[in-house]
Amino acid sequence: SGEDDDVGPAVAAGPEASTAGRRRARILEQIEQRVGAAPLFGGGTLVHVRQPGSLIRDATSRDRLVALVADVPPGNALAFTDLTTGPSQRSASSDPLRDAVERAGGMVKEFPALTRDRMEHWIEGRSRELGVRLAPGAGRLLAERVGAYVREGDVDRRRQTQLANSELEKLALLRPGGVVERAEVAELVPEAVPGSMWGFLDAVGMRRGAEATRLADRLLTDGMPLPIIVSQLHRRVRELIGVRELLDRGTRPSELPRILKVQPYRAERLAEQGARWSTRELEDALFGLLDLDLESKGIGADGSPSSVSQERSLLSLLVWISVRMAEGRAAGGRSVGS
């Protein structure tokens, strides 16, 4: 049997360029030592480099890595994997490495994350490969549990297939050669729906309390710090104040893209959200964010230190949402030009 070495992820540049350069050099030396020497016995050595982005960031390291790709001894292998959010996010600096792999006779392939429409079909096919069948509705529920049906565009879908596969392997151990029922998926597969900042901000803007509460819980559970959530809320509320003032002055919604210097779709969404608030309500929401910001940073209203915890952060955010959504219900909403 051969050897399988996993190198990476590559170390990104640190505060000092010289330190980062030395780290890149050490990683490249490890790759050269492992892929350049064939073992006395066995089928060879496979070296797997994860996230090679930092190794091709400067010309010296990039040239060294490209030369290494062209000089892999027979019997050994060198593989690279790079997780990106999409083809548009691929850096042009990766092209020399891709070209070098192709020139050396290697294969370059992209595996895009499955969309919500394809995930359920993939789950059904993968379950058959594992020797189990999914009862009606079980595949759909599993796809929902791993977050495949979240519609917002800022959700990271890169590991959803990996998560779905691990859950299928667990279910296959439960029912080898049998049928997995929907109730078993509900009981055994934990919900891992990713949070979406865009979805959360839109829910707040539209004054949809239940949806905003659910997404706020997910964001904090996924590790999003409360100060970042507050800063994003602050930006959205300020945008809505500006939109509300423009609408109150008689500005037509069709003029907003030019005035706000945003895309028409975004201007339309902001106008729709701004119409659901009064200026007084938005200003009150803004002042409420000041208190929330202080609390998220462990500062009391009188400037004294206060305790900070995940539970307190979530509770404070949910209270802020509840108060603002309750105001919207009491006011009955607003319409454009009201």
Side-chain angles (χ1 to χ4, degrees):
S1 62
E3 300 178 17
D4 188 349
D5 290 316
D6 196 11
V7 180
V11 180
E16 300 179 2
S18 58
T19 301
R22 288 194 295 270
R23 289 175 178 172
R24 285 193 290 268
R26 286 199 298 270
I27 292 174
L28 287 167
E29 287 173 2
Q30 292 177 3
I31 298 173
E32 290 169 343
Q33 291 171 1
R34 295 173 184 178
V35 79
L40 294 177
F41 305 98
T45 299
L46 167 63
V47 176
H48 173 207
V49 182
R50 295 175 288 115
Q51 303 297 101
S54 67
L55 297 179
I56 56 179
R57 203 162 285 151
D58 70 277
T60 301
S61 298
R62 182 168 59 248
D63 293 344
R64 185 173 174 182
L65 186 60
V66 167
L68 178 60
V69 170
D71 196 29
V72 177
N76 289 352
L78 180 59
F80 301 94
T81 55
D82 190 13
L83 283 174
T84 62
T85 56
S88 61
Q89 300 295 321
R90 193 182 72 216
S91 172
S93 62
S94 65
D95 290 342
L97 180 58
R98 296 166 62 91
D99 295 341
V101 170
E102 291 178 337
R103 285 195 303 270
M107 180 175 57
V108 177
K109 296 202 66 172
E110 293 184 0
F111 299 91
L114 296 178
T115 62
R116 57 181 178 271
D117 300 320
R118 296 171 52 208
M119 177 63 82
E120 186 177 352
H121 178 73
W122 181 88
I123 287 175
E124 296 284 353
R126 179 59 179 154
S127 67
R128 290 191 293 270
E129 293 175 358
L130 293 172
V132 296
R133 291 182 295 114
L134 298 177
R140 171 64 182 260
L141 179 59
L142 178 55
E144 291 175 352
R145 286 295 176 95
V146 300
Y149 282 85
V150 176
R151 294 182 176 274
E152 286 74 25
D154 62 330
V155 169
D156 188 348
R157 303 181 186 275
R158 292 176 293 178
R159 298 190 182 277
Q160 286 182 350
T161 307
Q162 179 182 4
L163 180 59
N165 183 68
S166 65
E167 294 297 338
L168 281 172
E169 290 178 342
K170 180 174 68 178
L171 294 169
L173 291 174
L174 174 70
R175 293 283 182 262
V179 178
V180 175
E181 300 293 337
R182 190 180 190 280
E184 292 172 326
V185 174
E187 181 180 359
L188 298 176
V189 178
E191 188 176 55
V193 179
S196 166
M197 182 63 75
W198 287 354
F200 169 66
L201 295 176
D202 284 343
V204 170
M206 295 296 292
R207 311 192 85 158
R208 296 171 179 160
E211 183 179 354
T213 297
R214 185 175 65 254
L215 289 172
D217 189 7
R218 288 179 186 167
L219 286 171
L220 286 171
T221 301
D222 289 348
M224 180 71 70
L226 182 57
I228 293 180
I229 297 177
V230 172
S231 68
Q232 294 293 321
L233 276 172
H234 179 267
R235 178 179 179 182
R236 177 60 61 91
V237 172
R238 283 178 60 87
E239 286 178 327
L240 294 179
I241 289 176
V243 169
R244 183 69 257 181
E245 290 176 347
L246 288 169
L247 296 175
D248 288 342
R249 291 203 299 263
T251 303
R252 294 192 301 272
S254 60
E255 297 177 294
L256 291 178
R258 175 182 57 82
I259 297 173
L260 300 177
K261 295 181 173 58
V262 297
Q263 295 294 325
Y265 174 76
R266 176 163 171 72
E268 180 182 347
R269 294 300 298 272
L270 289 175
E272 184 181 7
Q273 294 171 20
R276 294 175 180 267
W277 300 75
S278 70
T279 301
R280 180 196 62 78
E281 289 171 333
L282 287 167
E283 290 174 346
D284 176 69
L286 198 62
F287 283 116
L289 284 176
L290 175 60
D291 297 333
L292 188 58
D293 184 53
L294 290 174
E295 184 170 342
S296 72
K297 297 173 180 176
I299 304 174
D302 58 355
S304 61
S306 64
S307 60
V308 179
S309 68
Q310 180 79 3
E311 292 76 16
R312 285 178 62 91
S313 296
L314 177 58
L315 178 60
S316 299
L317 180 57
L318 296 185
V319 168
W320 183 91
I321 293 171
S322 176
V323 170
R324 273 74 212 176
M325 302 305 106
E327 288 179 355
R329 289 195 297 272
R334 296 297 190 275
S335 60
V336 175
S338 63

